[in-house]
Each structure stands twice: as C-alpha cells, then as structure tokens.
Amino acid sequence: MAVAVVVFPGSNRDQDMIDAVEHATGQAPHVVWHADSDLPTGTDAVILPGGFSYGDYLRCGAIAARASVMTAVADAANRGMPVLGVCNGFQILIETGLLPGALMRNASLHFVCKTVELKVVHNRSPFLQTWAIGEKWTCPVAHGDGNYVCDDTTLRALQDNDQIALTYADGTNPNGSRDDIAGITNKAGNVLGMMPHPENVSLPHHPSRAGERLFKGLLDEVE
C-alpha cells in the first residue's frame, strides 16, 4: 500500500504520522512537499498531518489549502481515494472545501493539550471500519482552533448522511465543538477530518495503541 503524507511549511506532526503509518502498514509512506503538483504514481491514500502550516496566517489551513499539491489531493479525493486530515490537516480539508463547516478558536480561548474520550458515531470511513458504532477510545488533542461550527442546515445534512464520524464522549469536549463533533467525513465517506491525534497512540512506546487500528483499517481497505 502506498500512502502519501503531505508536508507544508509549519507542519510539525509529519514525522509522527510517517512513523505510525510505517509501523501499521510495514511500508514507509511517500513524503510529498506542498509545492509538488502531483501525487506519486500508485498512491493509494493521502494524509495531511498536524502542525501550524504557514504559521496559521489568515486562518488555520487557509494558505495550505491553496498550495499546488492540494489540487491533486482534491482530484484524488473526488475520485474516491481515502484522505485523512488530522488537526491542521482537518483545518486544511475544510479550507479546501472537501469538508463542510469551520474550525474556530477554542471556546475557552486557550490552547488545549490533553487526552479525550472519543466515540465512533459512524464507521463509513475506510480509516474507521474496524471500529464498531458506539465504540469508545482514548486519544490526545493539541490545538487552539478546534471548535467545530456549522449552521443548522449543514448539521442536519451531516446527521442525515451519516457524516459525523467521531464525537467527544463522557464530557471531554475540549473546545466547545457543536454537538461534541470531533471528526466528520465527506458525503461519500472517503475523506475524514478529525482534531485528535491517532498517530500519537499507535506505537509500542505510546500509552495505548488504539490509533493503530485507524491505519490498519486503511490497509484492510486498500488490500
């Protein structure tokens, strides 16, 4: 399986993501630079890691969404290729228009770095297919702009189309996100954006390996 991890100026979780993908799949991912115009031939999935692309100028993810490589990422997503955006990657997917809504400043106006409980609401995403609906797992978050907001029409569409993939459970919503939303998919289900960091609960020396299932789910999907 060939995974492409896209790196932007200011990405800082790219190596964590590379390590997690390689450990779960047994194959080092391609590292794609933001200025590239194409994805490597044979790419099966794309991941946008966390960080502070372009220093979060304008809005988080706004400049990265207009990087050269994002045209190829959007084309691949629209063809059905699995695409995952984590934290800043989630912000980039929203700014690209691949996912609806917006990610605003945390309701507390403070950066949060803590562990949260997640509940799988829908498992249509290839990354979540090994989880049962309603299953919970623990995962860290680290962000200042993770407050998911959308209007009532968008929320109804997310609910009607089973696009809410993950919610914060057991009162652990760290940022004020509407309806405790932690991750959503596009209507087709192949694009997943989430604020928590599964790559940081994936390796043997991590406090848990719950996130490894996310990457192994992708492996099952592709193979």
Side-chain angles (χ1 to χ4, degrees), residues 99-101 122 124 148-165 181 183-187:
L99 294 173
H122 290 288
R124 297 171 58 233
Y148 183 81
V149 299
C150 63
D151 59 26
D152 292 343
T153 300
T154 300
L155 181 62
R156 282 195 298 274
L158 291 174
Q159 294 167 336
D160 292 345
N161 297 323
D162 297 338
Q163 290 177 249
I164 299 175
I181 289 174
I184 60 172
T185 69
N186 63 344
K187 191 172 182 179

